């Protein structure tokens, strides 16, 4: 159920809905959304929406609607066959009539021509051209950690013009980490020890990030003698009769800790999209710790490769604009859509499609599911939620954005093979029809035996299957 807070104070992890990795402070009068996670503290709230009216239920509805609106892709082979088969039947009948009624050939002669034309033009190879390539292509994808759920996704991926990337958990790791440690007049280890003492009693994700960093530095952290969480501001702790404050500007200002001298550094970190924690000891600022949802090591390289393929790359996120732009500038994305709610994500994809773009959406969370379903190709990151994995038509097992590039390259190669297969299948048939119809007979006396026509038809099928199997040599 969704509701409004009527009492208490806490931090709520809303990443599954908004994409924002840093928990949101909640107090009386704020809205809470069903299925988000209360990280610490007690909240009393009045239910305002239940069942089908909740935000989560609306997301599910959007997914179902988007999935239902998808039109199946019409295969090239179906189009060719729909014209080719009636044409071949007509040619075989006309050939029979011409040889039997016009050129006065025996019935058996004319019937042989009729049968030869039908056999050599049998569109078996046309029927095999697409599915054999798709079977090998999807198998090749699976070998490389790319699960392609259907042939439509494999076929569509080669035509993509725009790649839309979710930020949290897709471009970034989705887990806050310490990025900068700025000690002031004390050693780095002492700053982390002091911060660790204050945060040891906290359940907040920012505290977890600080404690993890202290663990990396092999710092042993004792318990504080007293600990108090100050809602919306930070922590006040006492250790060895020394007061430690850790938190926001507001906490420092309320305890008259001077921070003006370091305001530029704080603003620089915030402009980089980082949450800046200030630490004071006995009333003096002793350092800054910046925490952010760090970018995956492979994200920048993947985005460069996508651009090299001539694709437009867009970042779509529920994060605030400053954080989103900071992340985008680091990885070379110019087009950013920030502060986007789940239902708006789906609308954003729809809007891009209305502009004539063929769009792939890459995401990992429940909040991405409507957009994944609405996109021409939905690509789900393997570490994501079950809803995202179910909605995506392509799943990347290795949680590596470079696999998006591999999926597109595999699609292009598969379509190339399909076109080769269709060409050879059609070439065999069209080249063989005049010979089977007896065009050479008046000049050379050669008439194609139906048995030879059958062998030629089989050869065309073998060539198509063999060409598809050659795809196994393709290196991604």
């Amino acid at each position: 159920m969704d509701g409004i807070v009527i009492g208490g104070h806490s931090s709520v992890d809303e990443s599954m809905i908004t994409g924002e990795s840093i928990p949101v402070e909640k107090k009386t009068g704020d809205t809470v959304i069903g299925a988000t996670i209360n990280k610490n503290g007690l909240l009393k709230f009045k239910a305002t929406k239940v069942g089908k009216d909740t935000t989560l239920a609306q997301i599910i509805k959007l997914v179902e609607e988007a999935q239902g609106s998808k039109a199946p892709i019409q295969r090239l082979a179906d189009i060719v066959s729909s014209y080719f088969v009636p044409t071949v039947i007509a040619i075989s009948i006309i050939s029979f009539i011409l040889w039997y009624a016009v050129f006065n050939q025996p019935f058996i002669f004319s019937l042989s021509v009729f049968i030869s034309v039908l056999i050599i033009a049998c569109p078996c190879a046309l029927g095999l051209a697409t599915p054999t390539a798709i079977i090998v292509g999807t198998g090749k994808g699976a070998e490389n950690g790319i699960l392609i759920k259907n042939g439509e996704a494999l076929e569509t991926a080669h035509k993509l013009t725009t790649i839309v990337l979710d930020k949290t958990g897709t471009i970034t790791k989705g887990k806050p980490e310490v990025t900068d440690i700025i000690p002031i007049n004390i050693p780095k280890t002492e700053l982390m020890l002091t911060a660790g003492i204050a945060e040891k009693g906290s359940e907040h994700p920012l505290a977890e990030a600080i404690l993890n960093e202290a663990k990396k530095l092999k710092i042993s952290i004792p318990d504080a003698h007293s600990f108090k969480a100050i809602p919306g501001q930070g922590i006040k702790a006492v250790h060895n009769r020394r007061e430690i404050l850790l938190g926001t500007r507001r906490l420092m200002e309320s305890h008259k800790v001077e921070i003006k001298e370091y305001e530029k550094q704080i603003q620089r970190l915030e402009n980089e999209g980082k949450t800046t924690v200030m630490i004071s000891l006995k009333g003096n600022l002793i350092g800054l710790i910046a925490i952010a949802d760090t970018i995956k090591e492979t994200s920048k390289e993947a985005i460069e490769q996508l651009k090299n393929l001539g694709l437009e790359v867009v970042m779509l996120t529920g994060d605030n604009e400053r954080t989103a732009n900071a992340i985008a500038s680091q990885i070379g994305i110019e087009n950013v859509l920030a502060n986007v709610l789940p239902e708006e994500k789906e609308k954003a994809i729809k809007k891009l499609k209305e502009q004539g773009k063929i769009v792939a959406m890459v995401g990992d969370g429940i909040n991405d599911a409507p957009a994944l379903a609405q996109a021409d190709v939905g690509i789900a990151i393997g570490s994501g939620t079950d809803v995202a994995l179910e909605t995506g038509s392509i799943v990347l097992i290795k949680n590596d954005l470079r696999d998006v590039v591999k999926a597109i390259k595999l699609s292009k190669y598969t379509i190339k093979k399909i076109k080769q297969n269709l060409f050879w299948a059609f070439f065999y048939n069209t080249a063989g029809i005049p010979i089977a119809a007896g065009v050479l007979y008046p000049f050379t006396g050669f008439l194609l035996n139906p048995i030879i026509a059958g062998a030629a038809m089989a050869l065309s099928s073998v060539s198509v299957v063999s060409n598809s199997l050659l795809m196994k040599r393709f290196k991604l």
Side-chain angles (χ1 to χ4, degrees):
M1 58 188 77
D2 299 344
I4 294 175
V5 177
I6 56 172
H9 189 284
S10 185
S11 299
V12 177
D13 181 356
E14 294 188 336
S15 59
M16 61 163 287
I17 296 295
T18 64
E20 175 63 71
S21 56
I22 306 297
V24 180
E25 299 293 331
K26 295 289 181 181
K27 60 184 184 302
T28 302
D30 289 342
T31 302
V32 285
I33 300 167
T36 56
I37 301 167
N38 183 15
K39 300 297 286 186
N40 62 305
L42 174 69
L43 289 174
K44 292 182 181 179
F45 72 97
K46 179 174 70 177
T48 55
K49 293 177 182 177
V50 295
K52 66 179 182 180
D53 297 321
T54 61
T55 302
L56 186 60
Q58 290 301 310
I59 289 172
I60 293 166
K61 185 183 174 186
L62 284 169
V63 171
E64 288 171 348
E65 286 175 357
Q67 285 179 332
S69 67
K70 277 189 174 180
I73 296 169
Q74 182 64 49
R75 300 195 194 287
L76 183 58
D78 294 337
I79 298 169
V80 173
S81 296
S82 66
Y83 292 103
F84 183 72
V85 173
T87 304
V88 167
I89 292 170
I91 290 170
S92 61
I93 293 169
I94 291 166
S95 299
F96 175 83
I97 293 169
L98 285 174
W99 284 113
Y100 186 68
V102 179
F103 299 119
N104 297 316
Q105 290 293 335
F107 177 79
I108 295 297
F109 180 96
S110 304
L111 186 62
S112 291
V113 170
F114 175 81
I115 293 168
S116 293
V117 171
L118 282 180
I119 290 174
I120 204 164
C122 180
C124 295
L126 279 175
L128 290 167
T130 302
T132 53
I134 285 175
I135 287 166
V136 180
T138 51
K140 191 73 186 173
E143 287 175 15
N144 288 273
I146 302 164
L147 297 183
I148 300 161
K149 291 186 180 179
N150 52 59
E152 284 80 9
L154 190 62
E155 287 181 37
T156 307
H158 87 286
K159 297 184 288 186
L160 293 171
T161 60
T162 305
I163 304 290
V164 180
L165 303 172
D166 169 53
K167 183 184 81 68
T168 305
T170 303
I171 293 173
T172 65
K173 293 177 181 177
K175 189 177 180 182
E177 290 182 3
V178 171
T179 56
D180 301 82
I181 302 170
I182 303 171
I184 298 169
N185 301 323
I186 63 166
K188 176 181 172 182
T189 51
E190 193 175 331
L191 172 63
M192 290 306 298
L193 173 65
T194 307
I197 291 167
E199 292 283 34
K200 196 171 182 181
S202 174
E203 297 171 348
H204 199 284
L206 297 185
E208 187 183 346
I210 289 171
L211 292 169
N212 284 339
E213 187 65 24
K215 198 181 287 182
K216 285 180 192 174
L217 296 170
K218 297 180 180 177
I219 298 170
S220 178
I221 298 170
D223 294 330
H225 297 134
S226 70
F227 170 92
K228 183 184 178 184
I230 302 169
Q233 295 186 37
I235 291 163
K236 182 178 180 180
V238 176
H239 182 258
N240 288 340
R241 299 181 181 179
R242 298 188 302 173
E243 184 183 77
I244 303 168
L245 295 173
L246 183 148
T248 62
R249 272 190 185 84
R250 216 160 75 184
L251 180 67
M252 298 298 141
E253 286 167 2
S254 66
H255 287 76
K256 297 179 181 178
V257 176
E258 189 60 50
I259 61 168
K260 282 183 183 177
E261 191 181 336
Y262 305 98
E263 189 62 44
K264 283 187 179 178
Q265 280 181 297
I266 295 167
Q267 285 182 6
R268 175 182 63 80
L269 293 168
E270 288 178 344
N271 288 333
E272 290 171 3
K274 298 169 183 175
T275 301
T276 307
V277 175
M278 298 157 218
I279 305 101
S280 80
L281 184 64
K282 296 194 294 184
N284 297 310
L285 192 69
I286 60 167
L288 309 171
I289 298 175
I291 299 168
D293 187 2
T294 52
I295 296 167
K296 290 178 185 173
E297 294 79 3
T298 57
S299 292
K300 189 173 183 180
E301 183 185 345
I303 287 154
E304 285 174 3
Q305 290 176 3
L306 288 168
K307 286 183 174 180
N308 290 338
L309 290 175
L311 296 164
E312 176 190 16
V313 182
V314 178
M315 189 169 84
L316 189 65
T317 178
D319 272 356
N320 64 75
E321 202 166 326
R322 188 172 63 183
T323 302
N325 286 328
I327 296 289
S329 64
Q330 290 177 49
I331 53 176
I333 294 180
E334 291 81 26
N335 302 318
V336 179
L337 298 172
N339 293 313
V340 184
L341 295 172
E343 60 270 24
E344 293 169 347
K345 284 189 177 185
E346 186 254 359
K347 287 173 186 172
I349 298 293
K350 204 170 185 178
K351 193 174 179 182
L352 289 169
K353 287 172 72 175
E354 285 169 357
Q355 293 169 12
K357 296 173 180 178
I358 301 170
V359 183
M361 171 70 194
V362 187
D364 72 319
I366 292 174
N367 59 309
D368 301 315
L372 287 169
Q374 181 62 49
D376 294 291
V377 178
I379 303 175
I381 298 292
S383 62
T385 62
D386 290 344
V387 174
L389 300 180
E390 185 64 32
T391 310
S393 48
I394 296 175
V395 176
L396 308 180
I397 294 173
K398 290 185 284 189
N399 196 21
D400 187 338
L401 265 186
R402 291 176 298 184
D403 284 349
V404 176
V405 181
K406 288 182 182 179
I408 293 167
K409 285 182 177 178
L410 181 62
S411 172
K412 288 178 183 288
Y413 184 68
T414 304
I415 295 303
K416 177 184 169 185
K417 281 293 182 182
I418 289 172
K419 288 178 178 177
Q420 285 176 3
N421 288 347
L422 290 171
F423 170 78
W424 285 113
F426 198 66
F427 174 78
Y428 269 113
N429 290 331
T430 51
I433 287 170
I435 298 168
V439 170
L440 299 177
Y441 183 75
F443 310 104
T444 63
F446 175 77
L447 184 68
L448 188 67
N449 190 301
I451 296 170
I452 298 171
M457 183 270 290
L459 183 64
S460 71
S461 298
V462 170
S463 68
V464 162
V465 173
S466 299
N467 191 44
S468 294
L469 289 172
L470 287 172
M471 291 173 66
K472 287 189 172 183
R473 295 181 177 180
F474 182 59
K475 302 287 183 186
L476 277 173

